[in-house]
Amino acid sequence: MSKLWGGRFNSTTNSDLNKLNCSLPVDSRLFAEDIDGSKAYAKILKEAGVLTPTECNDIQKGLELVRYEWIEKLIKLQDTDEDVHTVNERRLIEIIGNVGEKLHTGRSRNDQVITDMKLWMKKAVSEIKLNLKLCMGAQIEIADLNDEVLMPGYTHLQRAQPIKFSHFILSHAFALHEDCLRLVDYEKRSDILPLGSGALAGNPFNIDRNLLATYLGFTKITQNSMHAVGDRDFIVEFIFILNMIGIHLSRLAEDLILYATKEFNFVRISDEYSTGSSLMPQKRNPDSLELVRGLSGKIFASLSGLMMIIKGTPSTYNKDLQMDKSFVFDGFDYLKSSLNVITGVLKTLKINKECMLNCLSSDMLATDLAYYLVRNGTPFRTAHHTVGQVVAYAETLNTDLEKLNMEDLSKIGDFRSDVRKVFDYNASVEQYDVVGGTSSSSIRKQIEYLKEFLKNF
């Protein structure tokens, strides 16, 4: 069979170009979306009087037979097939005859492929949302079960202030919460049908594009055909959101990798998500989390690669855009794997609360000492400087803050006998009873907020 566009050419295409031009190894993934779009387009052609009801019915049945061949892996490809669109059209014509040649009336692969991508991405967003819900659900469950566990909080990887372990794990859940909001916003703004734009000038057969949008589950239609066929912003934005999720998973992975070391020993990653060393028998390596961390880089490569391709393309469709699909498919697959793995790690994670508690030290209550002075009327900057002197003095004695005697403390600042109540880690944590704080009541509100959010997400 000759190529769909071969009528004006007098010689065959160079074999190297044929290989480069063929996108089937990648875009065959769109076979179902391409068939769905074609079935809807056939109905619109019938409404416009281009197809008779019988012809439309024959096309509908023929396309379902093509779908069956794809699903059952019965489809046979030919050298003249360039992409999933040409395969589906060729098989349709082979199954129902010349009436199949009418299906492409007024339609171009330019508006066909971008419609297929939008249909595929609707499903992809739904899958990512489901995986995010599972991952966040695992984080919420950990926070729920460990709401009394204290641990050191860190800035600059240095011990900073006591916090609840639940507060730590929920901080990562709220990062994913932001990604959920991005996906919700993305769904609304990308819900625009490009089909009916033709190659670049539009469709001359008086089709009802709004009805076509309804058939395919879109709420809006594109308003400029030239922009529609060349637009890949929605793909860039989708991969950007995948990147943000990947970055957040990578940061969670890094925290857990650190906390699983012997030096921290705050958590233990299950054997199911650990590997060993080919040389050192004692090793339990967090390869699952390291791979998640690494995959975030590959997702970023998908984003940067696509942006480099589209930055120099002139108006409307250009063949460079054929390469967009490999980037979006790769980014999606990498992220889905990452979400599945990290959710499994979280569900099997063991918490070492005793070790976390033992790593709390009184120097982490230095800020509480400053707040003690503030509550007694000292300006915060003065209190901060005073407690800094207390810390320095304790270091000269090589002792903990709580072991300093009242005589030494009172010489440095306005410390009274009740200052001893400051050295209570639970009291320290509970004072942060503000929305977003690390107190027990605040954490309960965070958990309830996220649970309610996921119910409606």
Side-chain angles (χ1 to χ4, degrees):
M1 182 177 177
S2 61
K3 294 183 183 296
L4 297 179
W5 44 264
R8 63 93 63 227
F9 289 86
N10 297 317
S11 60
T12 59
T13 309
N14 176 272
S15 60
D16 290 327
L17 177 56
N18 263 336
K19 291 177 184 177
L20 191 61
N21 190 46
C22 180
S23 60
L24 266 171
V26 176
D27 67 23
S28 59
R29 189 165 178 168
L30 297 172
F31 78 86
E33 289 75 21
D34 192 67
I35 290 170
D36 292 339
S38 292
K39 290 182 67 176
Y41 190 67
K43 289 167 67 176
I44 284 298
L45 289 179
K46 181 189 73 173
E47 300 288 343
V50 175
L51 295 175
T52 68
T54 299
E55 288 172 332
C56 180
N57 188 55
D58 289 344
I59 287 174
Q60 301 286 328
K61 290 179 179 178
L63 287 170
E64 282 305 315
L65 288 173
V66 177
R67 189 197 303 272
Y68 173 80
E69 290 182 353
W70 278 107
I71 292 172
E72 297 299 321
K73 299 184 174 21
L74 300 173
I75 202 87
K76 290 182 172 55
L77 306 180
Q78 297 182 0
D79 291 341
T80 52
D81 294 329
E82 294 179 340
D83 49 42
V84 68
H85 323 295
T86 56
V87 174
N88 286 345
E89 184 171 337
R90 172 180 62 77
R91 280 301 295 139
L92 177 66
I93 295 169
E94 289 170 352
I95 291 169
I96 68 171
N98 291 343
V99 68
E101 295 181 355
K102 292 188 175 184
L103 175 61
H104 209 57
T105 303
R107 184 175 68 168
S108 167
R109 283 185 294 179
N110 294 0
D111 63 347
Q112 186 178 358
V113 65
I114 195 170
T115 300
D116 292 355
M117 282 302 298
K118 285 207 166 188
L119 288 171
W120 180 88
M121 289 173 75
K122 279 176 174 283
K123 298 174 185 176
V125 169
S126 294
E127 284 192 54
I128 293 297
K129 287 172 68 175
L130 176 59
N131 287 333
L132 277 172
K133 287 181 74 170
L134 293 173
C135 186
M136 291 175 66
Q139 292 170 322
I140 293 168
E141 184 176 2
I142 290 175
D144 225 346
L145 294 173
N146 297 278
D147 60 346
E148 296 303 317
V149 178
L150 298 182
M151 70 173 290
Y154 296 86
T155 65
H156 308 274
L157 266 185
Q158 306 295 312
R159 291 181 186 175
Q161 292 176 290
I163 60 169
K164 293 284 187 78
F165 179 76
S166 295
H167 198 54
F168 155 72
I169 204 70
L170 288 173
S171 72
H172 288 285
F174 273 100
L176 296 183
H177 166 266
E178 295 299 310
D179 297 323
C180 292
L181 296 178
R182 290 186 184 93
L183 283 170
V184 170
D185 184 55
Y186 174 80
E187 282 184 300
K188 294 176 183 175
R189 290 187 300 98
S190 64
D191 191 23
I192 307 173
L193 175 72
L195 194 57
S197 298
L200 80 163
N203 188 297
F205 290 94
N206 196 33
I207 65 171
D208 187 339
R209 292 190 66 213
N210 285 303
L211 181 58
L212 180 57
T214 301
Y215 286 158
L216 289 172
F218 291 88
T219 58
K220 299 180 285 293
I221 59 174
T222 53
Q223 298 298 308
N224 182 286
S225 57
M226 289 182 69
H227 171 256
V229 298
D231 175 36
R232 293 300 182 273
D233 292 0
F234 72 99
I235 297 180
V236 172
E237 186 174 356
F238 178 68
I239 302 177
F240 169 75
I241 295 172
L242 299 185
N243 264 274
M244 291 307 301
I245 302 171
I247 287 170
H248 293 147
L249 295 182
S250 180
R251 296 190 70 190
L252 171 57
E254 175 63 12
D255 275 349
L256 294 179
I257 288 168
L258 284 171
Y259 291 167
T261 61
K262 292 288 187 182
E263 286 72 21
F264 281 87
N265 199 28
F266 290 175
V267 299
R268 182 178 176 87
I269 299 164
S270 74
D271 287 354
E272 187 180 354
Y273 291 96
S274 303
T275 63
S277 165
S278 61
L279 178 66
M280 297 167 283
Q282 83 281 10
K283 294 296 292 297
R284 293 182 77 259
N285 297 327
D287 284 14
S288 55
L289 295 171
E290 291 170 359
L291 288 168
V292 167
R293 195 175 56 188
L295 282 175
S296 68
K298 300 193 80 168
I299 299 171
F300 175 73
S302 295
L303 177 63
S304 60
L306 179 58
M307 293 185 76
M308 287 299 293
I309 284 175
I310 65 174
K311 72 173 183 63
T313 53
S315 297
T316 73
Y317 185 81
N318 300 271
K319 199 65 172 183
D320 320 41
L321 299 182
Q322 176 174 288
M323 301 175 191
D324 61 352
K325 288 170 283 298
S326 61
F327 291 118
V328 72
F329 292 159
D330 285 349
F332 172 79
D333 291 342
Y334 294 147
L335 182 65
K336 193 172 175 183
S337 295
S338 295
L339 279 166
N340 288 338
V341 166
I342 211 155
T343 300
V345 169
L346 290 169
K347 286 187 172 184
T348 56
L349 195 68
K350 301 298 182 186
I351 312 302
N352 189 346
K353 54 178 128 182
E354 291 80 12
C355 191
M356 291 186 200
L357 184 61
N358 291 336
C359 284
L360 295 174
S361 52
S362 60
D363 60 301
M364 299 177 67
L365 300 173
T367 302
D368 298 66
L369 276 178
Y371 288 160
Y372 168 85
L373 293 175
V374 167
R375 291 185 176 102
N376 287 336
T378 304
F380 177 73
R381 277 292 154 225
T382 302
H384 186 285
H385 182 77
T386 299
V387 174
Q389 291 178 312
V390 172
V391 171
Y393 180 68
E395 287 179 347
T396 63
L397 299 179
N398 194 27
T399 191
D400 296 330
L401 291 183
E402 63 183 328
K403 293 180 180 178
L404 292 173
N405 59 49
M406 281 306 305
E407 182 181 353
D408 290 332
L409 284 172
S410 59
K411 288 179 181 177
I412 300 174
D414 184 19
F415 294 105
R416 306 163 194 176
S417 59
D418 63 347
V419 72
R420 294 296 172 196
K421 67 183 181 181
V422 169
F423 298 104
D424 182 330
Y425 298 117
N426 278 299
S428 174
V429 166
E430 293 303 330
Q431 71 182 315
Y432 296 103
D433 192 19
V434 63
V435 175
T438 192
S439 71
S440 297
S441 62
S442 176
I443 286 172
R444 294 314 311 168
K445 290 174 184 175
Q446 293 175 47
I447 290 172
E448 292 309 313
Y449 171 87
L450 288 174
K451 284 182 177 180
E452 188 62 28
F453 173 78
L454 291 183
K455 280 183 188 176
N456 302 308
F457 177 57

